[in-house]
Coordinates of all heavy atoms in Angstrom, one line a residue:
T106 N -13.6 21.0 2.8 CA -13.1 19.7 2.5 C -13.4 18.8 3.7 O -13.8 19.3 4.8 CB -11.6 19.7 2.3 OG1 -10.9 20.1 3.5 CG2 -11.3 20.7 1.2
R108 N -11.3 17.2 5.5 CA -10.3 17.6 6.5 C -10.7 18.8 7.3 O -10.6 18.9 8.5 CB -8.9 17.8 5.9 CG -7.8 18.0 6.9 CD -6.4 18.0 6.1 NE -5.3 18.5 7.0 CZ -4.6 17.7 7.8 NH1 -5.0 16.4 7.9 NH2 -3.6 18.1 8.5
Q109 N -11.3 19.8 6.6 CA -11.8 21.0 7.3 C -13.0 20.7 8.2 O -13.1 21.2 9.3 CB -12.1 22.1 6.3 CG -10.9 22.7 5.5 CD -11.3 23.5 4.3 OE1 -12.4 23.3 3.7 NE2 -10.4 24.4 3.9
D179 N -3.2 24.6 9.7 CA -2.2 25.3 8.9 C -2.2 24.8 7.5 O -1.7 23.8 7.1 CB -0.8 24.9 9.5 CG 0.4 25.6 8.9 OD1 0.1 26.6 8.1 OD2 1.5 25.3 9.1
V180 N -3.0 25.6 6.7 CA -3.2 25.1 5.3 C -1.9 25.1 4.5 O -1.7 24.3 3.6 CB -4.3 26.0 4.6 CG1 -5.6 25.8 5.3 CG2 -3.9 27.5 4.7
G181 N -1.0 26.0 4.7 CA 0.2 26.1 4.0 C 0.0 26.2 2.5 O -1.0 26.8 2.0
K182 N 0.9 25.5 1.7 CA 0.6 25.5 0.3 C -0.4 24.5 -0.1 O -0.7 23.5 0.6 CB 2.0 25.2 -0.4 CG 2.5 23.7 -0.2 CD 3.7 23.5 -1.0 CE 4.2 22.1 -0.9 NZ 5.4 21.8 -1.7
R183 N -1.1 24.7 -1.2 CA -2.1 23.8 -1.7 C -1.6 22.5 -2.0 O -0.5 22.3 -2.6 CB -2.8 24.5 -2.9 CG -3.6 25.7 -2.6 CD -3.9 26.5 -3.9 NE -4.5 25.7 -4.9 CZ -5.8 25.5 -5.1 NH1 -6.6 26.0 -4.3 NH2 -6.3 24.8 -6.1
G184 N -2.3 21.4 -1.6 CA -1.9 20.1 -2.0 C -2.2 19.8 -3.5 O -3.0 20.5 -4.1
W185 N -1.4 18.8 -4.0 CA -1.5 18.6 -5.4 C -2.9 18.2 -5.9 O -3.3 18.5 -7.0 CB -0.6 17.4 -5.8 CG -1.0 16.1 -5.2 CD1 -0.5 15.5 -4.1 CD2 -1.9 15.1 -5.7 NE1 -1.0 14.3 -3.8 CE2 -2.0 14.0 -4.8 CE3 -2.8 15.1 -6.8 CZ2 -2.8 13.0 -5.0 CZ3 -3.6 14.0 -7.0 CH2 -3.6 13.0 -6.1
W186 N -3.8 17.6 -5.0 CA -5.1 17.2 -5.4 C -6.0 18.4 -5.6 O -7.0 18.3 -6.3 CB -5.7 16.4 -4.2 CG -5.6 17.0 -2.9 CD1 -6.4 17.8 -2.3 CD2 -4.5 16.8 -2.0 NE1 -6.0 18.2 -1.1 CE2 -4.8 17.6 -0.8 CE3 -3.3 16.1 -2.0 CZ2 -3.9 17.7 0.2 CZ3 -2.4 16.2 -0.9 CH2 -2.7 17.0 0.2
Q187 N -5.6 19.6 -5.1 CA -6.5 20.8 -5.3 C -6.6 21.2 -6.7 O -7.6 21.9 -7.1 CB -6.0 21.9 -4.4 CG -6.1 21.7 -2.9 CD -7.6 21.7 -2.5 OE1 -8.5 22.0 -3.2 NE2 -7.8 21.2 -1.3
Q188 N -5.7 20.8 -7.6 CA -5.8 21.2 -9.0 C -6.9 20.5 -9.7 O -7.3 20.9 -10.8 CB -4.5 20.9 -9.7 CG -4.2 19.4 -10.0 CD -2.9 19.2 -10.6 OE1 -1.8 19.3 -10.0 NE2 -2.9 19.0 -12.0
Y189 N -7.5 19.5 -9.1 CA -8.6 18.8 -9.6 C -10.0 19.3 -9.1 O -11.0 18.8 -9.5 CB -8.5 17.3 -9.3 CG -7.3 16.7 -10.0 CD1 -6.1 16.5 -9.3 CD2 -7.4 16.2 -11.3 CE1 -5.0 15.9 -9.9 CE2 -6.3 15.6 -11.9 CZ -5.1 15.5 -11.2 OH -4.0 14.9 -11.8
R190 N -9.9 20.3 -8.2 CA -11.2 20.9 -7.7 C -12.0 21.4 -8.8 O -11.6 22.2 -9.6 CB -10.9 21.9 -6.6 CG -12.2 22.5 -6.0 CD -11.8 23.6 -5.0 NE -11.2 23.1 -3.8 CZ -11.9 22.8 -2.7 NH1 -13.2 22.8 -2.8 NH2 -11.3 22.3 -1.7
Q195 N -15.6 16.0 -5.2 CA -14.8 16.4 -4.0 C -14.4 15.2 -3.2 O -13.3 15.1 -2.6 CB -15.6 17.3 -3.1 CG -14.9 17.8 -1.9 CD -13.7 18.6 -2.2 OE1 -13.6 19.4 -3.1 NE2 -12.6 18.3 -1.5
L198 N -11.0 13.9 -4.1 CA -10.0 14.8 -3.5 C -9.8 14.6 -2.0 O -8.6 14.6 -1.5 CB -10.3 16.2 -3.8 CG -10.0 16.8 -5.2 CD1 -10.7 16.0 -6.3 CD2 -10.4 18.3 -5.3
D199 N -10.9 14.4 -1.3 CA -10.8 14.1 0.1 C -10.1 12.9 0.4 O -9.3 12.8 1.4 CB -12.2 14.1 0.7 CG -12.9 15.4 0.7 OD1 -12.2 16.4 0.8 OD2 -14.1 15.5 0.8
A201 N -7.6 11.5 -1.4 CA -6.2 11.8 -1.6 C -5.6 12.6 -0.5 O -4.5 12.3 0.0 CB -6.1 12.6 -2.9
E202 N -6.4 13.6 0.0 CA -5.9 14.4 1.2 C -5.8 13.5 2.4 O -4.8 13.6 3.2 CB -6.8 15.5 1.4 CG -6.3 16.5 2.5 CD -7.3 17.8 2.6 OE1 -8.5 17.6 2.6 OE2 -6.7 18.9 2.7
L203 N -6.7 12.7 2.7 CA -6.7 11.8 3.8 C -5.5 10.9 3.8 O -4.8 10.7 4.8 CB -8.0 10.9 3.8 CG -8.1 9.9 4.9 CD1 -8.2 10.5 6.3 CD2 -9.3 8.9 4.7
W205 N -2.7 11.4 2.2 CA -1.4 12.2 2.2 C -1.0 12.5 3.7 O 0.1 12.5 4.0 CB -1.6 13.5 1.5 CG -0.4 14.3 1.4 CD1 0.0 15.4 2.1 CD2 0.7 14.1 0.4 NE1 1.2 15.9 1.8 CE2 1.7 15.1 0.7 CE3 0.9 13.2 -0.6 CZ2 2.8 15.2 0.0 CZ3 2.1 13.3 -1.3 CH2 3.0 14.3 -1.0
F206 N -2.0 12.8 4.5 CA -1.7 13.2 5.9 C -1.7 12.1 6.9 O -1.4 12.3 8.1 CB -2.7 14.3 6.3 CG -2.4 15.7 5.7 CD1 -3.2 16.1 4.7 CD2 -1.3 16.4 6.1 CE1 -3.0 17.4 4.1 CE2 -1.0 17.6 5.5 CZ -1.9 18.1 4.5
Q250 N -5.5 11.0 -11.6 CA -5.6 11.4 -10.2 C -5.4 10.2 -9.3 O -4.7 10.3 -8.3 CB -7.0 12.0 -9.9 CG -7.0 12.7 -8.6 CD -7.7 11.9 -7.5 OE1 -8.2 10.8 -7.7 NE2 -7.8 12.4 -6.3
R253 N -1.7 9.4 -9.3 CA -0.9 10.5 -8.5 C -1.0 10.2 -7.0 O -0.1 10.5 -6.2 CB -1.4 11.9 -8.9 CG -1.0 12.3 -10.2 CD -1.1 13.8 -10.4 NE -0.2 14.6 -9.5 CZ -0.1 15.9 -9.4 NH1 -0.9 16.6 -10.2 NH2 0.8 16.5 -8.7
Q256 N 1.8 8.4 -5.0 CA 3.1 8.9 -4.5 C 3.3 8.9 -3.0 O 4.4 9.0 -2.5 CB 3.2 10.4 -5.0 CG 2.2 11.3 -4.5 CD 2.2 12.7 -5.1 OE1 3.2 13.4 -5.0 NE2 1.2 13.1 -5.9
R260 N 7.2 8.6 -1.8 CA 7.7 9.9 -1.5 C 8.9 9.8 -0.5 O 9.2 8.7 -0.1 CB 6.7 10.8 -1.0 CG 6.1 10.4 0.4 CD 4.9 11.2 0.8 NE 4.5 10.8 2.1 CZ 3.3 11.1 2.7 NH1 2.4 11.9 2.0 NH2 3.0 10.7 3.9

Side-chain angles (χ1 to χ4, degrees):
T106 67
R108 185 172 171 85
Q109 290 168 334
D179 184 10
V180 292
K182 67 177 183 179
R183 289 162 54 89
W185 65 264
W186 51 89
Q187 292 294 347
Q188 73 182 76
Y189 296 94
R190 181 182 288 273
Q195 181 60 42
L198 280 58
D199 287 336
E202 187 175 43
L203 177 67
W205 185 264
F206 288 106
Q250 193 259 0
R253 289 196 67 182
Q256 63 187 294
R260 64 191 183 191

